[in-house]
Amino acid sequence: MTSRLSGRPGRGLAVIASSAASTQAGAAVGAQAFAALTPIGVVAGRQLVAALVMLAVARPRFWRYTRGQWLPILGLAAFFAGMNSFLYAALERIGLGMAVTIEFLGPLAVALLFSRAPGARLRSLLCAALALGGVLLLTRPGPTSDVLGLAFAVLAAACWAGYILTNRVVGRRVPGVEGTAVATMISAAGMLPVALVIVAGTQPPLAAVGFAIIAGLLSSAVPYTLDLIVLRHISPVVFGLGMSLHPVFAALIGVIFLQEDLPLVGFAGVVLVACANALTLISRTIRPPEPDVSGSSYSGDRPARGRVRRRGLR
């Protein structure tokens, strides 16, 4: 498979699209367990699966870490837990498509703020206008808007932006994926007591626990494996363009599998946000080579083969 991807951005884009679809399908499966486990319980299950996968891959020697390595790792763990918890809390209230699209504003903001390409200011304003227009079309704010659900999605976006910037620091101080793996482990460990309390109090059916585990596999193990394979053979820009499909897949899966009510104007808003991200990525191809912090393409942590493994599970 990997040899076929080399020099074939179309096939690489298809694999990344499959990764994005798997991630959003996992969120949809996890939503089936909200009634029994609550969003926090589902996130805890997903984090546990992510931690097991990451630790098996990285096998970190965390007992050798210095204080300068532990501090950003702890920050990364907090952002990791926050962005997933707030996203699932938003998903429960406003739906998958809207929650993921608003969350995507976090990495998009990082990409726009750190762009240094010629003419970047004008393109940044254009992309920001597209994204803002997309969100307005999607949310159509009014007296009946779920303000709390929208706030959760905005907090998820802020945590994703913080995760991107913190992961960059971790990638510089800790080799390979060790830092991300340990952050994932800490995040899962911190949420495990909450999950145990929820399980003890609600005694959920095994089906709900199974949904949480499947959500972890689809949203963590499968996309992580696909991303590691394809990132060695395609450019970060192609990878980022594929990741721009996340809001689109979230909207489609939400409508088809969760029976969410997303009118055509709302779907147009989703597409506008995805286009804003794609335009940001395309404009960055003319930049001089430098460390990338564009979380909208996830290339802030994985712009080249040597740094492919610095981004954790999403």
Side-chain angles (χ1 to χ4, degrees):
M1 176 180 178
T2 55
S3 61
R4 294 179 181 178
L5 291 174
S6 302
R8 295 176 182 260
R11 290 184 178 178
L13 188 60
V15 175
I16 293 303
S18 300
S19 171
S22 178
T23 299
Q24 303 311 326
V29 171
Q32 307 303 313
F34 282 174
L37 291 174
T38 75
I40 296 297
V42 176
V43 171
R46 173 179 163 173
Q47 294 291 89
L48 182 59
V49 173
L52 292 175
V53 172
M54 288 293 290
L55 291 175
V57 171
R59 288 173 286 187
R61 301 178 179 179
F62 51 85
W63 55 88
R64 297 184 178 180
Y65 292 170
T66 64
R67 183 174 181 273
Q69 292 172 311
W70 273 115
L71 288 178
I73 287 175
L74 292 174
L76 190 63
F79 282 126
F80 196 9
M83 71 178 178
N84 285 314
S85 298
F86 286 128
L87 174 63
Y88 275 44
L91 191 166
E92 183 183 36
R93 300 183 67 94
I94 62 177
L96 181 61
M98 189 179 297
V100 170
T101 302
I102 295 175
E103 186 202 27
F104 220 69
L105 297 180
L108 178 59
V110 173
L112 295 177
L113 289 173
F114 283 85
S115 180
R116 298 290 186 273
R121 184 176 182 181
L122 180 60
R123 276 189 293 274
S124 294
L125 290 175
L126 176 59
C127 291
L130 282 175
L132 178 60
V135 170
L136 290 176
L137 287 176
L138 178 63
T139 59
R140 301 182 303 284
T144 60
S145 297
D146 190 330
V147 177
L148 185 57
L150 295 174
F152 283 147
V154 171
L155 288 171
C159 286
W160 197 354
Y163 179 87
I164 292 163
L165 298 176
T166 307
N167 208 15
R168 188 185 185 198
V169 177
V170 171
R172 289 173 172 173
R173 299 184 184 181
V174 184
V177 287
E178 288 188 20
T180 305
V182 174
T184 307
M185 177 185 69
I186 295 172
S187 173
M191 301 188 73
L192 190 57
V194 178
L196 292 176
V197 170
I198 292 173
V199 170
T202 62
Q203 295 184 350
L206 289 178
V209 177
F211 283 140
I213 294 174
I214 293 172
L217 293 173
L218 290 177
S219 296
S220 300
V222 172
Y224 179 67
T225 301
L226 292 176
D227 293 351
L228 280 183
I229 291 172
V230 76
L231 269 168
R232 299 176 181 179
H233 301 277
I234 65 173
S235 73
V237 174
V238 174
F239 179 78
L241 291 175
M243 298 309 290
S244 300
L245 296 173
H246 268 272
V248 178
F249 278 120
L252 290 174
I253 290 173
V255 170
I256 296 172
F257 294 102
L258 299 179
Q259 287 79 51
E260 295 175 359
D261 181 18
L262 185 65
L264 187 60
V265 65
F267 192 80
V270 172
V271 173
L272 280 181
V273 173
C275 288
N277 180 74
L279 181 60
T280 302
L281 292 164
I282 292 172
S283 69
R284 291 170 71 83
T285 60
I286 60 177
R287 288 181 56 185
E290 61 176 336
D292 191 357
V293 294
S294 172
S296 59
S297 65
Y298 298 156
S299 58
D301 310 301
R302 303 189 292 192
R305 180 172 182 175
R307 294 165 64 190
V308 160
R309 299 179 179 176
R310 290 183 184 172
R311 193 193 185 284
L313 300 174
R314 174 76 186 85

